[in-house]
Amino acid sequence: MYISSSAVKCATAITSRVRLASTLFQCAKLALFWFCTAGAAHADSLFGAIDPFNVGKKVAPSPDQRWIPEQTLPQVPPPVATANLPAQLSKPLSLAELTEIALKLNVRTSQAWTQARVEAAQSGIDHAIDFPQISGLISERTIRPVSATSGLPNTTLIDQAGNSATLAQGGRPYSVYNTYGPTLALSYLLFDFGKRAADKEATEYRLLAANLAQNRTLQDVSFQVEQAYYRVLGFEQLVHASSESLKNFTTALDAAQRRRDSGLATVADVYRSETQVGQAQLVLTRNEGELSKARGVLASTVGLPVNFPLQLQPMSEQLRVTEITQSMETLLTEAKANRPDLVAAEARARAARATARAESRAGLPSLQFVSQYSRQIYTNTLTAQDAYFVGLNLNIPIFSGFGDTYRVRRREEEAKIAETARDQIYIQTEQDVWQAYFDLQTATTSITSSAGLVKSASQSADAAIARYQGGVGSLLDLITAQLDDTNAKVQDIQSHLDWYQALARLNFAIGAFDSTLLKTKPQ
């Protein structure tokens, strides 16, 4: 029997490869055995001590030391909205103008609007699956066939059709060759037991909730501007009242000093008057500080830097105080129908239910139409080939380790959470309307009472200073009358401020963008 030298070489090569593979396999078993016994005890310390990227230097060296950056920290830019401020900010502004500017500059309105646009984009994504999905691919590959028996490169001769052929038959070797060509694939979901429809329903409810949340944000910003605006006006009036009170106490101090000079009063009266002047000065200083803080809050609420010099139009006349003619039941009904955050909570609850329904359909079969065309072009003598297929794919989930079960359960619990959040906002809506309604009623009554109190206290203070300057009244009567006059003015200012803020809270509680939903009559 004759054995060629090439066959001997091939057998020797195969034997060498087998021995090498066996040796490597034995080494791998030994390494695994060492790691599972002695090596496992030192694995944590061994690998934990390795830090090729020196990440330990990127944090503080110990818990009790602060972290020091190695490079310059990034600078925080100002909000984009404050880059181009409206031109009307250079003149005194009314409440309506301030609110209009705030709705443009306040970052919360931009954030809410952007979130609504995100949900709108998701709606487009969900509707995109209604159309066929088409994809193209252009590939280039280098191929080297390997013999299944020897493991060596295949050197079989082939003809142009790709069939085995001898050299005499025109065969050529193809140990390495290149191929390229395009592939076009199309797929379309035909049926999925309603999962696609449930996903779109959930997205539409989330979009509705985002739009309603934007509306509520606009209401919230308007309400915050109103509150800050009225606080500024209130503290301006308090500063004015404190200044008047300081003048009155200074006048009393002058009268006490004159009476002491004439021997009609003691030094104790002068000291007592000086104490009242000092207290009045302290109250004025505190009110001026509160006014400065209120101005900063108003500027920040509008969306401006906190130190922006806002100019406010003075109130030419006192706003007319009105009474609410609607009943509590009517206001509660309007609030439940108009409050965007309450309706948004209902939309989120329905979206969560639709998501749970879509999740329950994920484990059901789906039917998909598929089609593909490809062309394979060879760089050697092989003839280019075209291939295509058309068919249906039926995807039948069989077992996912109970993952589908727990995903559905999770979505159902999330739906319950959303419904609980809706119920909480429902209860909070009733509380908001209830409290704002009676706050407004109380403030209306307080304004009537404080008006008479201011009148009588002012007359009493005028009479007391006249009596004291005439040498008839006592200093105690004068100080008491002046304190009563100051307190009456402060209570009147506070009553009007409470009324304005209570009216704004009631509008906000029922979900009104302005006071048109509140039916009122003059007080």
Side-chain angles (χ1 to χ4, degrees):
M1 181 177 178
Y2 174 75
I3 300 177
S4 65
S5 60
S6 60
V8 173
K9 292 180 180 179
C10 180
T12 303
I14 294 175
T15 303
S16 300
R17 292 187 181 184
V18 171
R19 289 177 178 175
L20 178 60
S22 177
T23 303
L24 292 175
F25 180 71
Q26 295 295 333
C27 292
K29 288 200 302 182
L30 290 175
L32 179 61
F33 176 77
W34 175 86
F35 180 80
C36 293
T37 55
H42 306 284
D44 292 339
S45 59
L46 175 62
F47 294 105
I50 299 176
D51 189 6
F53 303 110
N54 202 20
V55 297
K57 297 291 185 179
K58 298 181 179 181
V59 298
S62 63
D64 60 332
Q65 298 186 30
R66 70 183 186 94
W67 173 74
I68 300 177
E70 297 180 353
Q71 56 187 2
T72 304
L73 296 177
Q75 296 295 320
V76 180
V80 178
T82 59
N84 299 315
L85 298 179
Q88 60 263 41
L89 286 173
S90 59
K91 66 176 185 178
L93 302 172
S94 64
L95 175 59
E97 291 172 330
L98 280 174
T99 303
E100 182 181 358
I101 295 173
L103 295 180
K104 295 179 180 178
L105 298 184
N106 195 292
V107 294
R108 294 178 56 200
T109 60
S110 300
Q111 184 181 20
W113 178 66
T114 305
Q115 183 61 42
R117 290 173 58 85
V118 169
E119 297 298 341
Q122 182 60 46
S123 175
I125 295 174
D126 289 346
H127 282 82
I129 199 173
D130 293 335
F131 293 88
Q133 307 299 304
I134 303 175
S135 62
L137 173 67
I138 299 178
S139 61
E140 181 177 1
R141 297 182 295 271
T142 300
I143 301 176
R144 183 179 187 180
V146 177
S147 172
T149 56
S150 65
L152 299 176
N154 194 344
T155 57
T156 304
L157 301 181
I158 59 172
D159 57 16
Q160 288 188 354
N163 300 319
S164 298
T166 63
L167 187 60
Q169 295 172 338
R172 297 184 179 181
Y174 72 113
S175 57
V176 176
Y177 64 94
N178 295 329
T179 178
Y180 64 93
T183 300
L184 187 64
L186 181 146
S187 63
Y188 182 68
L189 182 63
L190 299 176
F191 183 71
D192 62 353
F193 284 92
K195 181 183 183 302
R196 175 173 45 178
D199 284 333
K200 289 191 289 186
E201 180 183 356
T203 300
E204 293 302 321
Y205 275 123
R206 283 193 292 268
L207 175 58
L208 174 61
N211 285 324
L212 291 171
Q214 182 198 0
N215 290 348
R216 189 56 173 175
T217 301
L218 296 177
Q219 292 179 350
D220 192 18
V221 170
S222 301
F223 171 65
Q224 297 298 331
V225 171
E226 280 187 280
Q227 297 287 82
Y229 173 79
Y230 290 133
R231 279 182 59 83
V232 170
L233 295 184
F235 278 113
E236 284 181 346
Q237 295 181 18
L238 285 177
V239 168
H240 178 72
S242 300
S243 299
E244 292 296 327
S245 177
L246 179 60
K247 291 179 181 179
N248 293 335
F249 284 119
T250 302
T251 302
L253 175 60
D254 293 339
Q257 288 175 343
R258 286 194 299 269
R259 289 190 63 178
R260 180 178 179 274
D261 294 339
S262 60
L264 299 177
T266 64
V267 70
D269 290 345
V270 177
Y271 291 157
R272 181 67 182 272
S273 297
E274 289 177 348
T275 301
Q276 295 302 321
V277 171
Q279 291 179 348
Q281 181 64 54
L282 179 60
V283 172
L284 175 59
T285 303
R286 288 177 176 175
N287 287 335
E288 288 175 343
E290 293 296 329
L291 175 60
S292 299
K293 291 194 296 184
R295 286 186 174 276
V297 171
L298 177 59
S300 179
T301 304
V302 172
L304 300 169
V306 70
N307 59 346
F308 189 87
L310 267 178
Q311 304 177 59
L312 303 182
Q313 291 182 1
M315 296 180 63
S316 57
E317 59 181 10
Q318 193 74 12
L319 295 180
R320 186 175 60 177
V321 178
T322 57
E323 289 183 354
I324 304 300
T325 60
Q326 294 162 288
S327 64
M328 173 63 68
E329 289 74 15
T330 302
L331 292 176
L332 287 173
T333 302
E334 290 180 353
K336 295 168 186 176
N338 295 321
R339 276 191 59 153
D341 56 337
L342 180 58
V343 184
E346 172 63 20
R348 282 191 288 267
R350 295 190 181 188
R353 281 295 175 191
T355 301
R357 189 165 60 254
E359 197 69 61
S360 66
R361 304 293 196 274
L364 299 177
S366 61
L367 182 62
Q368 187 180 43
F369 170 80
V370 292
S371 176
Q372 180 175 306
Y373 164 78
S374 63
R375 180 174 178 82
Q376 192 170 10
I377 304 172
Y378 300 91
T379 57
N380 56 11
T381 58
L382 295 179
T383 305
Q385 298 179 358
D386 293 332
Y388 64 88
F389 70 85
V390 176
L392 298 175
N393 285 345
L394 180 61
N395 181 25
I396 305 177
I398 297 177
F399 183 67
S400 62
F402 301 104
D404 292 337
T405 301
Y406 288 105
R407 278 189 288 269
V408 172
R409 187 175 302 176
R410 173 191 174 187
R411 295 301 185 185
E412 289 177 349
E413 297 303 324
E414 289 176 348
K416 293 178 182 178
I417 293 175
E419 291 171 351
T420 303
R422 175 205 58 200
D423 295 341
Q424 184 177 2
I425 296 178
Y426 186 94
I427 296 172
Q428 187 64 44
T429 299
E430 293 182 332
Q431 292 179 359
D432 292 344
V433 174
W434 183 273
Q435 294 177 2
Y437 179 83
F438 286 106
D439 284 344
L440 186 60
Q441 298 287 58
T442 303
T444 303
T445 305
S446 299
I447 288 176
T448 305
S449 303
S450 63
L453 182 62
V454 169
K455 182 179 179 180
S456 60
S458 178
Q459 293 173 348
S460 176
D462 293 340
I465 188 64
R467 286 169 55 85
Y468 186 75
Q469 289 176 344
V472 179
S474 65
L475 180 62
L476 179 61
D477 293 337
L478 175 60
I479 292 176
T480 302
Q482 288 178 333
L483 288 176
D484 291 342
D485 181 46
T486 300
N487 292 333
K489 292 179 180 178
V490 171
Q491 290 178 15
D492 183 63
I493 295 172
Q494 188 64 51
S495 297
H496 281 82
L497 177 61
D498 290 344
W499 188 86
Y500 297 142
Q501 292 186 336
L503 179 63
R505 282 196 302 271
L506 185 55
N507 275 292
F508 184 66
I510 65 176
F513 278 95
D514 50 41
S515 59
T516 56
L517 289 181
L518 289 176
K519 297 179 176 61
T520 60
K521 67 178 181 180
Q523 174 67 14

